[in-house]
Amino acid sequence: MHLDVTKWNHVFKLDPDKELSDELLEQVCLSGTDAILVGGSTGVTFDNTVDLMARIRRYEVPCVLEISDQEAIAPGFDLFFIPMVLNARDPRWIVGNHQKALREYGAILDWSQVLTEGYVILNGESAAARVTQADTALDVKDVEAYARMADRLLRCPIFYIEYSGMFGDMALVARTRELVQSARIFYGGGIDSPEKARQAAEAAHTVVVGNALYEQPEQALATVEAVRAVRTAGQAS
Ligand code: 1GP
């Protein structure tokens, strides 16, 4: 089990609010992906989070909770990712909810398990954009500035470019990878085939595959190998 996110190239994101059969979950956990991220924008509860975690825990793959609701913070994960949505218009998603959660749990947190994600949401139609009231009308310079903010100003270990539900602008993603010094670029959104996974792996450090697992599982599972092929070719060249 590898808990060093700088080594992660591929991650599956599972939504506790969606059904996944035991058979498919087993394929996901044994797929060779680097980690399973548990998270969603709506309908995430303590109970469905714990249920999903317990099912993933039968396997060795690292299991991470991406916290989006204080009520759904559950112990037992390997790591906890805390998104700070840098382009949220609702400040609760930048620091407000975080402050409330720390009021409750700040004294008992194991900080070695906590990683901050500087998060930018670019698909205005996504649930995440609606919930956070994200300002998605951003140009390249805006996104570059957010990347620098996450990487240099806030020193987030992860800069997450979120297009949830649509395949994004890979040139833009690649541009952010060129300019960050320490942060790892996570890209998620609309990866529903090995070909899109390949393009995303060429642009970002870490590729996140979510919805496709529920809609086109065979294609989604094939993204693991597609990302691995890009990394292997990169090492050889
Ligand atoms: C969602 O970034 C992830 O938070 C993945 O997006 O569901 O579109 O694959 P998709």
Side-chain angles (χ1 to χ4, degrees):
M1 167 140 60
H2 224 308
L3 292 182
D4 177 1
V5 298
T6 66
K7 304 281 192 296
W8 293 356
N9 297 310
H10 183 285
V11 171
F12 278 120
K13 191 183 280 195
L14 299 187
D15 186 338
D17 194 33
K18 290 187 180 158
E19 297 282 331
L20 199 67
S21 69
D22 284 343
E23 189 192 354
L24 181 52
L25 186 71
E26 175 163 286
Q27 288 178 296
V28 168
C29 292
L30 300 179
S31 64
T33 189
D34 294 304
I36 310 286
L37 200 46
V38 173
S41 299
T42 55
V44 178
T45 66
F46 182 84
D47 288 348
N48 61 21
T49 299
V50 170
D51 281 355
L52 182 56
M53 179 194 61
R55 293 173 67 208
I56 297 167
R57 274 282 178 238
R58 295 180 203 148
Y59 306 92
E60 287 210 11
V61 65
C63 183
V64 181
L65 180 62
E66 185 175 63
I67 298 173
S68 58
D69 188 332
Q70 186 177 329
E71 301 305 314
I73 299 178
F77 287 86
D78 295 307
L79 294 173
F80 297 88
F81 285 2
I82 317 283
M84 296 176 81
V85 183
L86 303 176
N87 64 328
R89 287 202 194 87
D90 180 343
R92 287 179 299 178
W93 295 95
I94 310 172
V95 290
N97 294 333
H98 314 62
Q99 190 263 355
K100 284 199 169 59
L102 290 175
R103 258 184 71 117
E104 206 67 35
Y105 303 108
I108 56 166
L109 262 187
D110 177 353
W111 287 99
S112 68
Q113 290 187 300
V114 176
L115 273 78
T116 312
E117 298 173 305
Y119 217 89
V120 167
I121 300 170
L122 293 175
N123 175 11
E125 305 296 313
S126 64
R130 278 195 303 277
V131 168
T132 61
Q133 297 172 36
D135 175 10
T136 58
L138 304 180
D139 64 19
V140 177
K141 281 191 166 299
D142 291 322
V143 177
E144 286 178 358
Y146 279 128
R148 289 197 166 97
M149 184 181 288
D151 180 49
R152 309 298 290 169
L153 192 61
L154 302 174
R155 298 179 191 272
C156 302
I158 294 167
F159 180 60
Y160 194 126
I161 302 178
E162 173 69 282
Y163 275 91
S164 178
M166 70 176 272
F167 193 62
D169 177 347
M170 290 305 115
L172 179 63
V173 176
R175 174 73 194 119
T176 64
R177 190 169 80 168
E178 279 164 25
L179 60 84
V180 292
Q181 297 203 358
S182 313
R184 192 151 180 96
I185 305 293
F186 276 48
Y187 168 79
I191 298 174
D192 56 8
S193 67
E195 172 54 23
K196 284 185 188 144
R198 188 188 64 70
Q199 291 175 37
E202 281 172 351
H205 295 119
T206 306
V207 168
V208 183
V209 177
N211 264 317
L213 267 178
Y214 300 90
E215 285 153 18
Q216 302 171 71
E218 293 306 321
Q219 291 282 299
L221 289 166
T223 62
V224 177
E225 185 49 40
V227 171
R228 196 201 320 272
V230 171
R231 292 294 173 262
T232 308
Q235 280 164 10
S237 62

